[in-house]
């Protein structure tokens, strides 16, 4: 079983940047890794993903602004978020998919407001 712990959330002004981290308790080198977010009153949605081979994909709403990356040596996945908008406000969750098993972190709050 893999435990995931997100960090790096906080309050930022529109146009600002944040870098989220998600540290795993074990090796994630074979896992597909994802970042999701859930805004108040809305469903949890996929923001970005990175395969075990390093291919990346993004939701249209964040393309060109967010970058997902991974460091298998540190068992960590990152989400660099630039040009943040108020509509990016949400709880951000990381997920590790290992074969048929999915593991979630507890989430970190990101608030974009002036």
């Amino acid at each position: 079983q893999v435990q995931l712990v997100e960090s790096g959330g906080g309050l930022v002004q529109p146009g600002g940047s944040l870098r989220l981290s998600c540290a795993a308790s074990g090796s994630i080198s074979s896992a597909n890794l994802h970042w999701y977010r859930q805004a108040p009153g809305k469903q949890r949605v996929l923001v970005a993903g990175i395969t075990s081979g390093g291919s990346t994909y993004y939701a249209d709403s964040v393309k060109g602004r967010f970058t997902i990356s991974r460091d298998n040596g540190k068992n960590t996945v990152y989400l660099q978020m630039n040009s943040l908008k108020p509509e990016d406000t949400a709880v951000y969750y990381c997920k590790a998919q290992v074969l048929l098993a999915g593991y979630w972190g507890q989430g970190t709050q990101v608030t974009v407001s002036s």
Side-chain angles (χ1 to χ4, degrees):
Q1 188 160 350
V2 177
Q3 293 182 330
L4 303 171
V5 178
E6 300 98 334
S7 61
L11 174 63
V12 63
Q13 291 186 340
S17 298
L18 283 174
R19 187 195 196 203
L20 305 183
S21 299
C22 174
S25 60
S27 175
I28 55 170
S29 59
S30 63
N32 293 331
L33 305 169
H34 311 87
W35 284 98
Y36 285 76
R37 68 186 181 189
Q38 187 167 19
K42 296 188 177 181
Q43 291 186 328
R44 191 174 299 187
V45 296
L46 178 66
V47 174
I50 184 167
T51 68
S52 57
S55 297
T56 59
Y57 42 94
Y58 300 91
D60 286 344
S61 59
V62 306
K63 280 181 182 176
R65 301 189 297 122
F66 290 12
T67 303
I68 188 171
S69 61
R70 63 192 295 163
D71 185 334
N72 290 337
K74 294 183 178 180
N75 295 323
T76 301
V77 59
Y78 304 97
L79 186 67
Q80 177 67 44
M81 306 187 295
N82 298 327
S83 302
L84 283 161
K85 305 175 181 180
E87 51 263 43
D88 295 318
T89 296
V91 178
Y92 284 71
Y93 299 89
C94 66
K95 179 184 179 183
Q97 189 72 36
V98 182
L99 298 178
L100 297 180
Y103 303 95
W104 291 90
Q106 84 290 348
T108 185
Q109 176 71 45
V110 172
T111 302
V112 185
S113 175
S114 55

